[in-house]
Amino acid sequence: MSDKASLISMGFDPARVDWALKATKNSGLQPAMDHLLENSEKPIPEAGEADEEEDEDSVKANIKKIESGGTVDDSDLVARSIKCSECGKIFRSTANAELHAEKSGHDQFEESTDEIKPLTEEEKKAKLAELREKLAIKRAAQAKVDAKDNKANEALRRKAGQDSGKIKEDMQAKELQKQAEQKRREKLEDQKAKAAIKAQIEADKRERAEKAAREKALREGSSASQTPPAPVSVAKPAAGVSSSDNPQTRLQVRLSAGGQPLTKTFPSDNTLIDVAEWVASENLAYNVDTITFASTFPRKTYSREEMKKTLKANGLTPSAVLMAS
């Protein structure tokens, strides 16, 4: 694996890796790592701002001069590093020296011909181990932060789920309560309707019994003082008006198609056709041309001709119960 690939696998930014390799003249993995660590907070320089290359020819010339016994011209010497005059620490580049100055507060530097020796294999391994340890610590710290955030987010999601579940349960409870209330109202209405029908049947029975008693008394020549008591006030016609002459007729219509019975008061001169039109308007399951009516007491089914007669003519005044089909 190349030095660049190794550094990138350690988590370094590729652009900074390129800068480090170029700045260290591809002198190895360790110099590049040193450069990355020392310049981690520095911006990456633009093209053309790289360090000046060493003049190898000048160096070779100075070596020859020394070997031949001549003197070395200071102008031919090439600065290989930057040295801190206060602590003596040597740096490969100006960026490294500036970073040292920021951290230590030192401000006295000079150029040096000393060359920084590359790290030994043991030092490289130690440096790599140190880097990996730092990365592991950093990742562990980030993992703790992520775990804490995930836990908080999970708690929020659970609370949101519980809130939505409670709202759903409340809505279902209200709907069940509404349905129960509707059934209770329907039951009460049904009970009232049944009670009204029963009362009407009893009133009809009493009226027929009283009528039979009066007719019997007349046949036997009984005096008017022997006339049975007046009928009970239930379904009693207006004063001075006999039941058959009552101008109003109260009808209760039971529907074979199902549903609550229909109740309404009609003028006695209305026909059963009028009643059929009213039933058809109240329940679309019925048609005015095909609907038929029947009474339970006395048991009778009204023909189409009888449907054209008035309620009084059909003997339904003052009240009656009909079955619609």
Side-chain angles (χ1 to χ4, degrees), residues 159-176:
K159 188 176 185 306
Q162 292 173 354
D163 292 343
S164 63
K166 188 175 184 304
I167 291 172
K168 186 176 181 180
E169 290 176 359
D170 292 343
M171 292 179 65
Q172 291 176 347
K174 288 180 180 179
E175 182 63 25
L176 291 175

Side-chain angles (χ1 to χ4, degrees), residues 152-163:
N153 293 335
E154 181 64 22
L156 290 174
R157 283 194 295 271
R158 288 180 180 178
K159 188 176 185 306
Q162 292 173 354
D163 292 343

Side-chain angles (χ1 to χ4, degrees), residues 4-62:
K4 180 176 180 180
S6 299
L7 292 170
I8 292 175
S9 66
M10 293 179 191
F12 291 109
D13 182 64
R16 288 190 172 275
V17 171
D18 292 337
W19 175 31
L21 293 173
K22 183 176 181 181
T24 58
K25 299 180 177 62
N26 292 311
S27 57
L29 181 64
Q30 186 58 46
M33 281 195 298
D34 292 341
H35 183 277
L36 286 169
L37 292 174
E38 293 173 358
N39 295 274
S40 60
E41 299 180 2
K42 290 288 184 179
I44 300 173
E46 297 180 359
E49 295 182 0
D51 296 333
E52 297 180 357
E53 298 181 354
E54 297 179 356
D55 188 354
E56 296 183 0
D57 295 337
S58 177
V59 173
K60 292 178 180 178
N62 285 327

Side-chain angles (χ1 to χ4, degrees), residues 206-221:
R206 285 193 295 271
E207 183 179 356
R208 285 192 294 272
E210 292 165 2
K211 183 178 180 181
R214 286 196 298 271
E215 291 176 352
K216 182 178 179 181
L218 289 174
R219 287 195 302 270
E220 293 177 353

Side-chain angles (χ1 to χ4, degrees), residues 64-314:
K64 288 181 180 179
K65 287 182 180 180
I66 293 173
E67 291 176 347
S68 61
T71 60
V72 178
D73 186 0
D74 291 343
S75 61
D76 293 334
L77 295 178
V78 176
R80 297 176 179 272
S81 60
I82 298 176
K83 182 178 181 180
C84 176
S85 303
E86 298 183 37
C87 65
K89 196 169 184 179
I90 300 174
F91 305 97
R92 285 190 177 89
S93 65
T94 303
N96 294 348
E98 290 177 353
L99 183 60
H100 172 72
E102 290 179 3
K103 291 182 178 181
S104 63
H106 298 169
D107 57 0
Q108 300 297 322
F109 294 89
E110 60 183 351
E111 292 183 345
S112 174
T113 58
D114 296 336
E115 184 178 3
I116 300 176
K117 295 180 180 180
L119 297 177
T120 64
E121 291 298 325
E122 290 76 9
E123 290 174 335
K124 289 181 181 180
K125 291 179 181 179
K127 198 70 174 178
L128 282 172
E130 181 184 354
L131 284 174
R132 291 192 179 101
E133 183 180 359
K134 288 182 179 180
L135 288 174
I137 294 173
K138 183 176 180 181
R139 288 172 180 170
Q142 186 62 41
K144 289 182 179 180
V145 174
D146 293 341
K148 185 177 179 180
D149 292 342
N150 292 336
K151 187 176 180 180
N153 293 335
E154 181 64 22
L156 290 174
R157 283 194 295 271
R158 288 180 180 178
K159 188 176 185 306
Q162 292 173 354
D163 292 343
S164 63
K166 188 175 184 304
I167 291 172
K168 186 176 181 180
E169 290 176 359
D170 292 343
M171 292 179 65
Q172 291 176 347
K174 288 180 180 179
E175 182 63 25
L176 291 175
Q177 184 179 2
K178 183 179 178 182
Q179 292 176 1
E181 182 65 22
Q182 179 65 24
K183 289 181 179 179
R184 188 183 69 82
R185 285 198 299 268
E186 291 176 355
K187 185 176 180 180
L188 289 175
E189 291 175 0
D190 188 50
Q191 290 175 349
K192 289 180 181 179
K194 289 180 179 179
I197 293 171
K198 185 176 180 181
Q200 186 62 50
I201 291 174
E202 293 297 328
D204 292 342
K205 287 181 179 180
R206 285 193 295 271
E207 183 179 356
R208 285 192 294 272
E210 292 165 2
K211 183 178 180 181
R214 286 196 298 271
E215 291 176 352
K216 182 178 179 181
L218 289 174
R219 287 195 302 270
E220 293 177 353
S222 299
S223 62
S225 60
Q226 296 175 339
T227 304
V232 181
S233 60
V234 178
K236 182 180 178 181
V241 179
S242 65
S243 297
S244 60
D245 294 333
N246 197 310
Q248 300 291 328
T249 299
R250 185 175 182 276
L251 293 181
Q252 185 180 81
V253 182
R254 298 180 183 178
L255 308 176
S256 62
Q260 295 294 325
L262 303 176
T263 303
K264 185 178 180 181
T265 300
F266 293 87
S268 297
D269 56 357
N270 276 15
T271 65
L272 280 175
I273 295 294
D274 297 326
V275 179
E277 291 177 349
W278 170 67
V279 172
S281 66
E282 293 291 325
N283 194 314
L284 298 179
Y286 294 93
N287 188 295
V288 68
D289 295 326
T290 59
I291 190 171
T292 60
F293 292 116
S295 61
T296 56
F297 188 84
R299 192 171 186 83
K300 177 181 179 180
T301 300
Y302 295 90
S303 64
R304 299 306 296 181
E305 288 299 324
E306 289 175 321
M307 295 274 289
K308 298 177 182 178
K309 295 181 180 180
T310 64
L311 301 178
K312 183 191 298 183
N314 281 312

